[in-house]
Amino acid sequence: MSGTYVHGYHPRENERLQDQAGTLVELLHSDTTYPSGSLVLEAGCGVGAQTVTLARRSPEARFMSVDLSADSIAEAKRRVDSAGLTNVEFRQADIFALPFEAESFDHVFVCFVLEHLSRPVEALAILKRLLRPGGTITVIEGDHGSTYFHPDSSAAHAAIQCQVELQRKAGGNSLIGRQIYPLMVDAGFEAVRVSPRIVYVEMIEGVRESALAAGLIEPESFDVGVEALHRTTEADGVFCYTFFKGLGEKRDA
Amino acid sequence: MSGTYVHGYHPRENERLQDQAGTLVELLHSDTTYPSGSLVLEAGCGVGAQTVTLARRSPEARFMSVDLSADSIAEAKRRVDSAGLTNVEFRQADIFALPFEAESFDHVFVCFVLEHLSRPVEALAILKRLLRPGGTITVIEGDHGSTYFHPDSSAAHAAIQCQVELQRKAGGNSLIGRQIYPLMVDAGFEAVRVSPRIVYVEMIEGVRESALAAGLIEPESFDVGVEALHRTTEADGVFCYTFFKGLGEKRDA
């Protein structure tokens, strides 16, 4: 994979980074750590893709990771156990019916979850209720509309647009990244700050695995008939995608 | 303009910045300064929008700023004089027929120029010839394909696409930002690094002026019949655009 790197524009912008998966983790998590003794709700942990990183980066914090799917939780638990982490507890629950008291948590972390929900503000308001006053919420979402590449291709954009439509029909919104700020404000959070984090890949023979791992593109879309996206993986290709990370506070009870 | 700020994701990401024009300058120029005594060619200075910043940030360097248009140079000279700067010399010239000896310059700076050229690699190769071995080139371009916003609107995208088509018909390429890396490599520069710099604006009653000042959008497109883009300037609107800044070296003669 010589000559391959992901180059996110953040304070480490000028470093050449070899490990693409590691780079995405860094891009999303580098400014998130929780203090010793704090209790953090991870809402929608899925198969634990973020859970291992969260728990490892804040070893003195305790995490309650919930998901709707028992199968996903089983996989997340396996990953956390394999990593030797002991500061995570799992619970199966619906984000709209969480089995916790109001003001139970010091912090909330939500990553790649709102995109699947038809009522994202309602979900955020529920999470706000579970936060103690002074607690924070961190929200991370991608935005498929931030995808562009060289060589450009209307066929490739059409394939991505298919995914956007499929998500919309399923009740979700894969263009939600750009909306994190108004959604968090609508849900009543204060001191909201959102930072876009761009994944910029040049000379990208490795972008396929990276893009798939991050869920940016479904394998079918990438593989079947979308030669144009394959084309961007050649030596002169460039691929861009932006994640949005929002941080907000609950000020009052 | 309370509540308005531009939030570029760069090392100062968490600062609230009030002056939008100043923020764009910071986003593009913050990591560009030239050493005392060095001679810098600014190719395509236009009306001097970047010239004043360049000359002010590197007061001990000397700048040779050239442009095809005598009218533009007259305006650029007026701006530089008004700013009290004395380290800039102007020359009217075609970028494809520059009246300088090979290896005359220590550094080259090109900003918002390649987008207008039908032969950008050839222009870069000409500029490389004018650089001394060990000299650097800095290239900055936007990419209209990086524009997205909330609320989303196909009508607004269509208006932007019109600008892309107009630029293409004029022989240019307003999607060139994403291509800076392969173009610089093709022109023979080495150690090329490109960093994307996103302009992310939330609560953007001020975005119109900012977008116009940066040339992201023509006033006509913004004003006439594009209510959807006006809509993004309301309280819950979000607007994104990405600039690409490339740095490369000339290693050998």
Side-chain angles (χ1 to χ4, degrees):
Chain A
M1 208 174 286
S2 70
T4 302
Y5 67 105
V6 174
H7 189 154
Y9 181 62
H10 61 127
R12 297 176 59 191
E13 71 175 85
N14 288 328
E15 271 181 58
R16 279 195 175 246
L17 301 165
Q18 300 299 330
D19 178 355
Q20 298 203 351
T23 303
L24 278 175
V25 166
E26 181 73 11
L27 187 69
L28 300 181
H29 285 270
S30 62
D31 51 353
T32 298
T33 52
Y34 296 107
S36 176
S38 59
L39 181 59
V40 182
L41 173 64
E42 183 192 10
C45 64
V47 296
Q50 315 304 322
T51 315
V52 170
T53 303
L54 280 174
R56 187 179 280 143
R57 290 182 53 85
S58 299
E60 305 295 322
R62 291 173 300 131
F63 294 86
M64 171 63 74
S65 295
V66 305
D67 201 87
L68 187 58
S69 157
D71 287 348
S72 293
I73 284 179
E75 170 63 14
K77 189 169 187 327
R78 193 194 60 72
R79 288 193 190 196
V80 163
D81 291 345
S82 299
L85 297 162
T86 57
N87 56 337
V88 184
E89 185 177 336
F90 290 97
R91 188 87 60 97
Q92 184 187 357
D94 187 331
I95 200 168
F96 290 103
L98 291 167
F100 306 112
E101 298 288 316
E103 306 190 2
S104 304
F105 294 94
D106 298 301
H107 303 284
V108 172
F109 181 90
V110 197
C111 181
F112 305 149
V113 172
L114 300 184
E115 62 177 315
H116 301 294
L117 306 180
S118 57
R119 293 169 288 151
V121 172
E122 191 176 324
L124 288 173
I126 287 169
L127 295 171
K128 179 170 180 251
R129 190 166 169 275
L130 299 183
L131 263 184
R132 67 162 170 79
T136 70
I137 187 167
T138 297
V139 182
I140 301 176
E141 295 290 340
D143 190 314
H144 282 20
S146 73
T147 316
Y148 52 100
F149 31 81
H150 171 72
D152 202 7
S153 155
S154 55
H157 281 293
I160 292 164
Q161 191 57 31
C162 284
Q163 295 182 246
V164 172
E165 289 304 321
L166 285 171
Q167 182 79 295
R168 194 195 314 270
K169 282 178 180 162
N173 178 7
S174 53
L175 308 177
I176 202 167
R178 72 191 74 173
Q179 293 187 48
I180 281 187
Y181 181 86
L183 293 173
M184 291 176 73
V185 170
D186 282 357
F189 289 102
E190 302 195 67
V192 175
R193 286 167 292 149
V194 174
S195 64
R197 305 184 175 204
I198 194 166
V199 176
Y200 167 77
V201 198
E202 55 201 33
M203 299 175 64
I204 47 179
E205 56 265 44
V207 74
R208 183 182 181 281
E209 289 66 30
S210 187
L212 294 181
L216 305 190
I217 285 175
E218 297 299 319
E220 303 74 41
S221 304
F222 211 100
D223 290 344
V224 180
V226 191
E227 281 306 309
L229 272 176
H230 276 290
R231 173 65 184 84
T232 71
T233 67
E234 293 180 19
D236 66 344
V238 170
F239 182 90
C240 298
Y241 189 89
T242 302
F243 296 96
F244 291 80
K245 181 171 183 175
L247 182 68
E249 292 175 22
K250 174 176 177 174
R251 289 248 164 107
D252 302 310
Chain B
M1 208 176 284
S2 69
T4 302
Y5 68 106
V6 175
H7 190 153
Y9 181 63
H10 61 126
R12 296 175 60 191
E13 71 176 85
N14 289 327
E15 270 182 59
R16 278 194 175 248
L17 300 165
Q18 300 299 330
D19 178 356
Q20 297 203 350
T23 303
L24 278 175
V25 166
E26 180 74 11
L27 187 69
L28 300 182
H29 285 271
S30 62
D31 52 353
T32 297
T33 52
Y34 296 107
S36 176
S38 58
L39 182 59
V40 182
L41 173 64
E42 183 192 15
C45 64
V47 297
Q50 315 305 321
T51 314
V52 171
T53 303
L54 280 174
R56 188 178 278 143
R57 291 182 52 85
S58 299
E60 306 294 321
R62 291 173 301 131
F63 293 87
M64 171 62 73
S65 296
V66 304
D67 201 87
L68 188 58
S69 158
D71 287 348
S72 293
I73 284 179
E75 169 64 13
K77 190 169 186 325
R78 194 195 59 72
R79 288 192 190 197
V80 163
D81 291 345
S82 299
L85 297 162
T86 57
N87 56 336
V88 185
E89 186 177 335
F90 290 98
R91 189 88 60 98
Q92 184 188 356
D94 186 330
I95 200 168
F96 291 104
L98 291 168
F100 306 112
E101 298 289 316
E103 306 190 2
S104 303
F105 294 94
D106 298 301
H107 303 284
V108 172
F109 181 90
V110 197
C111 182
F112 306 150
V113 171
L114 300 185
E115 62 176 317
H116 301 293
L117 306 179
S118 57
R119 295 169 287 150
V121 171
E122 191 175 323
L124 288 173
I126 286 169
L127 295 171
K128 180 170 180 253
R129 189 164 171 275
L130 300 183
L131 262 184
R132 67 162 171 78
T136 70
I137 186 168
T138 297
V139 182
I140 301 176
E141 295 290 341
D143 190 314
H144 282 20
S146 73
T147 316
Y148 50 101
F149 31 80
H150 171 73
D152 202 7
S153 154
S154 56
H157 280 294
I160 292 165
Q161 190 57 32
C162 283
Q163 294 181 246
V164 172
E165 288 305 320
L166 285 171
Q167 181 80 295
R168 194 194 316 268
K169 281 177 182 163
N173 178 7
S174 52
L175 308 178
I176 202 167
R178 73 191 73 174
Q179 294 187 48
I180 280 186
Y181 182 87
L183 293 173
M184 291 175 73
V185 170
D186 282 357
F189 289 103
E190 302 195 67
V192 175
R193 287 166 293 148
V194 174
S195 63
R197 307 186 174 202
I198 195 167
V199 176
Y200 168 76
V201 197
E202 54 200 34
M203 299 176 65
I204 48 179
E205 57 264 45
V207 73
R208 182 181 182 283
E209 288 66 30
S210 187
L212 295 180
L216 304 190
I217 285 176
E218 296 300 319
E220 303 74 40
S221 305
F222 211 100
D223 291 344
V224 180
V226 192
E227 281 306 308
L229 272 177
H230 276 290
R231 173 65 185 84
T232 72
T233 68
E234 293 180 19
D236 67 343
V238 171
F239 182 89
C240 297
Y241 189 89
T242 302
F243 296 97
F244 292 80
K245 181 170 183 175
L247 182 69
E249 290 175 23
K250 174 177 178 173
R251 290 249 164 105
D252 302 312

